[in-house]
Amino acid sequence: MSKPNVIFQIVRRGGSLFSLIKKLWQHPKGRVGLILVSLLVLTAVLAPVLAPYDPYDVTQRAAKGLRPSLQHPLGTSITTGQDILSMLIYGSRVSLMIGVSTGIAIAFLGALMGVMAGYIGGFADSLIMRVVDVLLVIPTLPLIIVLTNLLGRSYFVIILVFVAFGWTGLARVIRSMVLVLKNSNYVKAAELAGASRWYIMTKHILPGTSHLIIMNTTLTCAGIMVAEAGLSFLGLGDPTAISWGKMLAEAQGGGALLFGAWWWILAPGAGIFLAVFSFMRIGIVMEEVFNPRMKASSGIYKLFKHLNNRYLDEVFRSMDDEGDPVTSEGSDTPPPPLSGGGHD
Amino acid sequence: MKRSYVIKRILYAIFIFFIVLTLNFFIPRIGVRDPAERYYPPQGAMSEIEYEIIQQFTREQYGFDVSTFQQYLRYLRGLARFDLGTSLRPGSPKVTELIGQRLPWTLVLSVSTLLISLVIGLLFGTLAAWRRGRWQDTMLLNASTISVALPAFFIALMLSFYLGFKLELFPAYTNPNMVAQFDWSWEAITVVFNNAALPIMSMTLGGIVGYSQTTRNSVIAVTNEDFVITAHAKGLSHRTVLYKHILRNAMLPLATSIGMSISGLIGGAIIIERVFNWQGMGTLFLEANSTNDYPLMMGIMLFLSAFAILANLVTELFYVILDPRVTVGDRR
């Protein structure tokens, strides 16, 4: 089975991507998230059209430290007189690009590792879980700082490092899910019918985890956006691009706090907040849609507070300790596929 | 049975630590064959002999003058004596010494953050679980989303702006003389906590929400257990059931998250320390980063990893001792 087919399977399971979006749209919170995310995407794509000034163009810079006015809706910076609104609009490109591409890459790597660990088991499982254990104890932010220092401060490297250390959480979730699916009747039937391991993995196991993968991806995107903002704030992002974290760092370094230029701090902060918030909203609503039992609950969003979601450790520990992952789910049935158990 | 499990966990922790310290040794060597070539390329009118001397000196300074395997052995031998190597700073201070100087200042932040957010989080979490589905619970849910979406360093900037510069309640920027003038007198301690107020505040906001969420979830999980239903059926008062049966058992997951968050707090304080220029481990790490001081950076990393491994081990053992339901097996 080729790769596009796998993606197709993930999205298609029990309904199309369209029906997923429709479900999100029908949910009041999900609608807010969808609107915000589409606005964000539009802003990022149309940045050169929307931005009143070109933030990279040094010849257009206005008077320094202007308060918000009609000419400059969010004012200008104190140090260089750059238009804040234009910077804000251009900054959305970085956040979105890094967040989404890292999220998708993590989805692939995490799903692959999780399925391998869960389905193949044995040596592959213990190897992957040892790697996860090691990655969990190494402090993430310092390690990312060291690696960007060594490999260069381009966005490619930053994404690479985020992916290399961000997949552990998803792999653990998927692994436990696969352990449940592995013992289900339809997988056993496929095995008896002589299906190959690869076939079962891509055709039966992976689609069964698709809802988890999609949900986790939106939450990972949100988490990565916060992490990227932090990295840029420390001056460790790509030095050539305008990003929200870098704007905040420039604002602090340029004396925005001292001279009371609140617009210079609030704008990028609001940008980060809205972007992360909308992605998280979608993730949380997805959780409710996919798993109505867990409605209004569960703090799954807490998982992505850190790159490695540590809360899951507790979940896993309790699952492993109780010996049977199924019982801790409180149900014998595998979780509903994408279309099942919709939110009413 | 239990003893063999404990020994297994300890051996596993040592195994993980060994892998981490090996990685720690090899990470700075990614793409760096020869530090002399990387950091000191020949410049201007430099004679060959001069350059040779500079190369020689740089290699010695970075410890690259012997083969990689010998360097590794040297590194292990140093670690056995709790020696994390020598910093490249002027005066070549020991890495352990530098960490020792800065660790207490980071602990001031992280321990107070931990205590404050733990106490408040426990209260809120229990309240939210007790009033499940009511407005208290919904508020916590919304607060969780907001606290993740608002990065701690942005909160720190806003606090520094309003409470520091506008209202002048607390120092917006750490007093640079605080560390040098510290002498355990009552005034010095007041100064420290006055300066620490804003960093602690910006870190606790996230922590409170995190612990509330953990508490809430584990209290709800315990509330559905059979022994709680039994306790209610015996006719015990709500208060007794809450304190004696629910909270006591709900503490276990919380203990786990404390163990894990301690190391996270120390490492995660990097950005907050930068905002307020707090002279802790975070700023030490960033200083090391900006000067390519790899021995110091890797020393801090190893220290934090060791701390995390130890914290995980202790909570794991704690769990086994405290929770009789934990079946002792060695899967995972």
Side-chain angles (χ1 to χ4, degrees):
Chain A
M1 195 178 230
S2 62
K3 251 191 180 166
N5 251 332
V6 176
I7 303 169
F8 187 64
Q9 278 292 327
I10 292 174
V11 176
R12 213 196 128 269
R13 169 82 176 177
S16 61
L17 183 66
F18 179 72
S19 85
L20 172 66
I21 292 176
K22 205 171 142 196
K23 250 176 217 145
L24 288 175
W25 184 258
Q26 282 161 353
H27 193 288
K29 280 184 188 168
R31 190 176 299 184
V32 175
L34 273 182
I35 292 173
L36 283 174
V37 168
S38 15
L39 277 180
L40 190 69
V41 172
L42 272 180
T43 317
V45 172
L46 299 177
V49 184
L50 288 174
Y53 303 89
D54 182 356
Y56 290 103
D57 186 356
V58 281
T59 58
Q60 285 182 359
R61 286 178 186 171
K64 293 168 183 176
L66 289 179
R67 289 179 162 272
S69 61
L70 276 181
Q71 218 109 47
H72 296 277
L74 292 176
T76 61
S77 69
I78 293 176
T79 44
T80 52
Q82 281 163 291
D83 182 53
I84 304 285
L85 179 64
S86 309
M87 285 166 84
L88 188 68
I89 289 173
Y90 271 84
S92 66
R93 293 185 144 187
V94 170
S95 272
L96 207 63
M97 196 263 288
I98 301 244
V100 171
S101 52
T102 312
I104 291 173
I106 286 180
F108 273 101
L109 189 62
L112 179 73
M113 291 296 180
V115 170
M116 281 198 342
Y119 188 68
I120 298 176
F123 180 69
D125 184 24
S126 44
L127 184 70
I128 291 172
M129 293 329 278
R130 291 303 84 80
V131 174
V132 169
D133 278 346
V134 169
L135 289 183
L136 274 177
V137 294
I138 299 180
T140 319
L141 183 61
L143 184 60
I144 288 175
I145 293 174
V146 169
L147 286 176
T148 47
N149 190 351
L150 278 167
L151 302 173
R153 280 163 46 186
S154 70
Y155 279 131
F156 179 71
V157 170
I158 292 172
I159 292 175
L160 208 71
V161 175
F162 274 147
V163 173
F165 296 95
W167 59 272
T168 52
L170 182 62
R172 298 190 129 203
V173 185
I174 299 293
R175 175 177 174 267
S176 79
M177 187 75 205
V178 170
L179 288 178
V180 178
L181 292 177
K182 198 176 165 182
N183 295 321
S184 64
N185 286 334
Y186 67 90
V187 170
K188 282 192 178 141
E191 272 169 2
L192 284 175
S196 71
R197 274 183 165 183
W198 178 247
Y199 183 85
I200 293 176
M201 274 204 282
T202 53
K203 195 92 178 170
H204 293 301
I205 303 274
L206 208 51
T209 58
S210 58
H211 64 292
L212 271 178
I213 297 174
I214 293 178
M215 190 188 80
N216 274 275
T217 305
T218 48
L219 293 172
T220 314
C221 289
I224 296 291
M225 283 176 176
V226 174
E228 188 277 324
L231 213 55
S232 298
F233 180 74
L234 290 176
L236 300 166
D238 193 324
T240 57
I242 292 172
S243 70
W244 291 334
K246 200 176 142 209
M247 281 173 77
L248 281 173
E250 281 170 1
Q252 201 206 4
L257 300 168
L258 192 61
F259 297 111
W262 48 268
W263 57 91
W264 199 5
I265 312 166
L266 267 187
I272 297 170
F273 175 74
L274 280 179
V276 177
F277 182 77
S278 50
F279 270 88
M280 282 183 55
R281 257 293 138 81
I282 291 188
I284 293 167
V285 172
M286 272 190 201
E287 190 195 2
E288 286 181 17
V289 170
F290 291 141
N291 198 352
R293 268 201 316 262
M294 289 170 79
K295 200 179 154 192
S297 68
S298 85
I300 198 137
Y301 33 83
K302 234 208 97 195
L303 313 186
F304 287 87
K305 206 161 167 184
H306 311 289
L307 271 177
N308 316 314
N309 50 41
R310 276 146 192 234
Y311 172 76
L312 274 177
D313 273 21
E314 293 152 37
V315 178
F316 277 94
R317 192 157 298 165
S318 63
M319 280 180 185
D320 278 4
D321 289 341
E322 279 162 33
D324 185 4
V326 181
T327 51
S328 52
E329 279 282 317
S331 157
D332 284 335
T333 50
L338 224 87
S339 66
H343 177 81
D344 300 310
Chain B
M1 187 74 171
K2 245 183 182 179
R3 183 181 290 167
S4 75
Y5 173 78
V6 169
I7 291 170
K8 246 180 207 164
R9 292 322 303 174
I10 291 173
L11 285 179
Y12 184 61
I14 292 171
F15 167 71
I16 292 287
F17 181 65
F18 189 74
I19 292 180
V20 168
L21 68 87
T22 308
L23 275 180
N24 214 43
F25 173 79
F26 283 105
I27 282 172
R29 286 167 174 76
I30 297 173
V32 183
R33 283 266 162 69
D34 186 355
E37 267 169 41
R38 189 180 157 102
Y39 300 118
Y40 298 97
Q43 318 162 324
M46 195 185 273
S47 75
E48 209 139 284
I49 295 173
E50 270 178 312
Y51 188 56
E52 197 62 35
I53 291 167
I54 286 177
Q55 273 188 323
Q56 202 61 40
F57 181 74
T58 318
R59 279 189 201 122
E60 260 169 44
Q61 202 186 12
Y62 281 80
F64 273 63
D65 49 337
V66 287
S67 75
T68 312
F69 183 66
Q70 278 172 313
Q71 289 169 34
Y72 184 59
L73 286 184
R74 191 196 276 169
Y75 170 77
L76 288 184
R77 243 178 282 139
L79 279 182
R81 283 177 277 127
F82 294 102
D83 179 4
L84 290 172
T86 312
S87 162
L88 303 179
R89 297 179 164 210
S92 330
K94 285 276 172 204
V95 169
T96 38
E97 203 177 291
L98 286 170
I99 292 179
Q101 278 168 12
R102 299 292 191 96
L103 182 64
W105 297 103
T106 294
L107 283 180
V108 168
L109 291 191
S110 45
V111 169
S112 12
T113 304
L114 185 72
L115 288 180
I116 295 172
S117 45
L118 194 61
V119 170
I120 302 181
L122 252 176
L123 281 173
F124 281 1
T126 316
L127 186 73
W130 206 239
R131 316 279 294 170
R132 193 179 172 188
R134 313 269 186 86
W135 66 267
Q136 290 96 333
D137 196 18
T138 323
M139 205 173 75
L140 175 62
L141 192 78
N142 292 331
S144 313
T145 327
I146 291 170
S147 82
V148 179
L150 274 184
F153 64 90
F154 176 64
I155 297 175
L157 281 177
M158 294 315 285
L159 287 177
S160 159
F161 183 61
Y162 283 110
L163 299 185
F165 282 107
K166 279 269 144 105
L167 303 177
E168 295 183 11
L169 279 176
F170 298 106
Y173 212 60
T174 309
N175 181 355
N177 299 325
M178 183 186 80
V179 173
Q181 289 171 354
F182 189 73
D183 56 356
W184 286 108
S185 67
W186 181 246
E187 279 132 77
I189 294 174
T190 337
V191 168
V192 167
F193 276 97
N194 204 18
N195 278 293
L198 290 183
I200 291 174
M201 259 188 245
S202 35
M203 292 207 291
T204 38
L205 285 177
I208 289 173
V209 174
Y211 285 121
S212 309
Q213 201 62 46
T214 316
T215 312
R216 175 198 177 272
N217 290 343
S218 75
V219 165
I220 287 178
V222 175
T223 312
N224 295 333
E225 293 266 1
D226 288 341
F227 61 82
V228 174
I229 299 171
T230 313
H232 277 299
K234 280 198 295 190
L236 296 176
S237 72
H238 280 305
R239 185 177 290 264
T240 320
V241 176
L242 179 65
Y243 288 124
K244 290 251 164 102
H245 297 260
I246 296 177
L247 278 186
R248 190 168 285 186
N249 288 294
M251 287 299 161
L252 290 169
L254 207 62
T256 323
S257 70
I258 293 171
M260 281 184 245
S261 64
I262 291 176
S263 56
L265 268 173
I266 298 177
I270 289 183
I271 305 183
I272 298 296
E273 287 186 6
R274 166 72 164 260
V275 173
F276 294 100
N277 198 26
W278 183 266
Q279 294 297 307
M281 294 250 282
T283 33
L284 183 70
F285 188 82
L286 289 174
E287 283 163 19
N289 181 51
S290 58
T291 52
N292 286 324
D293 192 345
Y294 281 103
L296 184 50
M297 274 198 274
M298 300 327 281
I300 294 174
M301 293 260 294
L302 191 66
F303 177 79
L304 290 178
S305 315
F307 204 92
I309 293 173
L310 199 67
N312 281 358
L313 180 68
V314 169
T315 29
E316 237 163 36
L317 299 183
F318 202 60
Y319 221 74
V320 177
I321 294 163
L322 284 188
D323 192 344
R325 288 169 304 172
V326 173
T327 47
V328 175
D330 58 334
R331 284 175 300 119
R332 205 175 92 81

